[in-house]
Amino acid sequence: MEKKKILVTGGAGYIGSHTVVELHEAGYEPVIIDNFSNSKESALDGITAITGQQFRCYRVDCTNAAAMREVFEQEPGLEGVIHFAAYKAVGESVEKPLEYYHNNVGSLVALLQVMREFNVTNLVFSSSCTVYGIPENLPVTEQTPVQKANSPYGNTKKICEEILSDVAQSASTLRSIALRYFNPIGAHPSAKIGELPLGVPNNLVPFITQTAAGIREQLTIFGEDYDTADGTCVRDYVHVVDLAKAHVTAVERLLEAKGDKIEFFNVGTGSGNTVLEAVQAFERATGVKVNYKVGPRRAGDVPKIYADVTKATEVLGFRTNSTLEEAMKSAWDWQLSLQDSVTNV
Ligand code: UFG
């Protein structure tokens, strides 16, 4: 039987590459688009090493509708699109708001226009728990009110969700699922793909692994005076492979034409851990100590957020298959596999 073809924008990126692998495992044919602005072609080699397949990859910027159109022409019969391609650094978005609006909002609009032209009607969109702002009640469900974003990056996710909702209200045949990610961490168990931050990592786990590897001298924990068990921020750390699988089940749901024209799902584990607990879990999982100090709070950090994942569990069959320690171990194995490489320093 012919495999169903799914276009994955940002397919060479962190979550994208893991999702390409899971799509293949589930019997789909992924086709990748990436402009490699925040990813490396080596991710494609990693995908090939895991799957034994070389998937077609187009070096295209998703804001370029004409170039996107060419991809759709060359790839007839696309059944759906998973749209990862976006900028994602909160701090950078404050410095470069126009770049973030152009890239993140512009690429979604261009993609939706081209999808409409080619009558491709299924879309999974990468959203974020950032849309909940600082929530009043925890855990957050999909009914938790969306709040004013506290960064241009966060606002692009909120605006993109609104665009999808507006399209769903119209006569459009588009069906979409927005997955609101909590904090994706870890790497594929093969250690052939993983997070590949360019330059100094913004996110906690790559900073931990690079510090443990001696690439960074010291991790700074941003604040220990929050109203949490040990004073450090609480997050919901979800293994990237579990998250990748949620995209596959979301695609399946769209292809079966189940549910409303637009649906939102939280994807986390359902439990929160403090930053200090995350560091300790890494140390326990790997036996490697992390040199850290406590510094001041980071501007814009949400003190505490974790997901209620009942909806994803019941509707998408979402499961958390690994513990925080296992996720940390996989991140460390990936870091070790990069040891000879200077590209991530
Ligand atoms: N942290 C440190 N030291 C570091 C890096 C992070 O203490 O060097 C702390 C942060 O203060 C935070 C936690 O580790 O408490 C997690 O920080 P990350 O930067 O890894 O992740 P965030 O929770 O800030 O950001 C994530 C996504 C964003 C998304 C945001 C929404 O990366 O895309 O959640 O809350 F917008």
Side-chain angles (χ1 to χ4, degrees):
M1 211 177 66
E2 191 101 323
K3 289 187 173 183
K4 291 182 175 159
K5 225 175 2 176
I6 307 294
L7 187 67
V8 185
T9 76
Y14 175 42
I15 308 170
S17 58
H18 288 82
T19 301
V20 165
V21 169
E22 295 307 318
L23 281 168
H24 166 74
E25 301 280 323
Y28 292 93
E29 182 188 352
V31 175
I32 299 169
I33 287 185
D34 210 300
N35 68 353
F36 298 97
S37 66
N38 193 26
S39 58
K40 291 213 174 300
E41 294 194 23
S42 58
L44 303 178
D45 300 333
I47 291 170
T48 300
I50 296 167
T51 61
Q53 308 275 319
Q54 233 166 349
F55 302 111
R56 287 185 298 290
C57 176
Y58 296 85
R59 183 184 276 268
V60 163
D61 184 323
C62 295
T63 61
N64 182 345
M68 294 287 279
R69 208 167 276 127
E70 277 178 34
V71 175
F72 278 63
E73 269 160 12
Q74 287 182 52
E75 296 291 345
L78 288 172
E79 300 260 354
V81 180
I82 308 180
H83 182 46
F84 290 105
Y87 293 155
K88 61 171 187 177
V90 176
E92 184 185 62
S93 77
V94 178
E95 309 290 320
K96 301 178 177 173
L98 292 181
E99 279 80 355
Y100 271 68
Y101 288 112
H102 174 73
N103 192 51
N104 292 8
V105 180
S107 67
L108 178 68
V109 174
L111 172 65
L112 291 176
Q113 286 171 330
V114 177
M115 286 176 70
R116 182 174 61 183
E117 283 168 37
F118 287 81
N119 200 24
V120 178
T121 57
N122 297 307
L123 177 74
V124 180
F125 175 70
S126 288
S127 192
S128 164
C129 66
T130 192
V131 299
Y132 298 118
I134 300 180
E136 269 180 34
N137 297 304
L138 291 170
V140 292
T141 72
E142 291 79 1
Q143 270 73 52
T144 296
V146 165
Q147 294 198 48
K148 188 180 177 319
N150 62 358
S151 72
Y153 159 77
N155 206 26
T156 67
K157 293 296 170 188
K158 182 167 175 278
I159 291 169
C160 286
E161 286 197 355
E162 288 166 356
I163 290 171
L164 292 174
S165 295
D166 287 346
V167 172
Q169 290 288 316
S170 75
S172 164
T173 52
L174 183 80
R175 306 180 68 82
S176 60
I177 290 182
L179 299 180
R180 292 172 173 165
Y181 311 155
F182 283 67
N183 287 57
I185 63 163
H188 193 268
S190 66
K192 303 281 188 206
I193 53 174
E195 196 166 2
L196 204 52
L198 305 180
V200 182
N202 291 304
N203 295 114
L204 178 65
V205 173
F207 211 106
I208 289 177
T209 60
Q210 290 194 8
T211 305
I215 298 167
R216 309 282 157 211
E217 195 169 320
Q218 193 172 43
L219 167 75
T220 302
I221 292 183
F222 298 135
E224 60 170 355
D225 56 352
Y226 289 100
D227 183 18
T228 63
D230 58 29
T232 64
C233 290
V234 169
R235 293 289 183 276
D236 185 334
Y237 296 100
V238 55
H239 196 297
V240 67
V241 173
D242 294 336
L243 176 58
K245 288 185 168 138
H247 292 78
V248 177
T249 49
V251 164
E252 270 157 17
R253 181 167 174 82
L254 290 170
L255 294 185
E256 288 167 8
K258 287 186 180 159
D260 296 336
K261 280 174 80 179
I262 180 159
E263 294 184 310
F264 301 91
F265 293 94
N266 288 342
V267 190
T269 64
S271 51
N273 285 98
T274 66
V275 175
L276 212 48
E277 284 167 355
V279 171
Q280 289 159 354
F282 175 87
E283 292 182 336
R284 265 197 313 279
T286 63
V288 182
K289 287 277 167 212
V290 179
N291 178 22
Y292 71 84
K293 65 169 187 208
V294 175
R297 291 182 175 196
R298 180 171 71 176
D301 265 340
V302 173
K304 206 170 173 178
I305 188 161
Y306 56 97
D308 181 318
V309 287
T310 309
K311 186 176 175 192
T313 307
E314 289 178 356
V315 179
L316 296 179
F318 174 74
R319 295 170 59 93
T320 300
N321 293 308
S322 56
T323 62
L324 183 56
E325 278 80 3
E326 286 163 344
M328 289 294 187
K329 178 71 171 57
S330 70
W332 181 233
D333 290 344
W334 164 243
Q335 181 66 54
L336 292 177
S337 80
L338 294 172
Q339 205 140 18
D340 296 331
S341 162
V342 290
T343 52
N344 73 325
V345 178

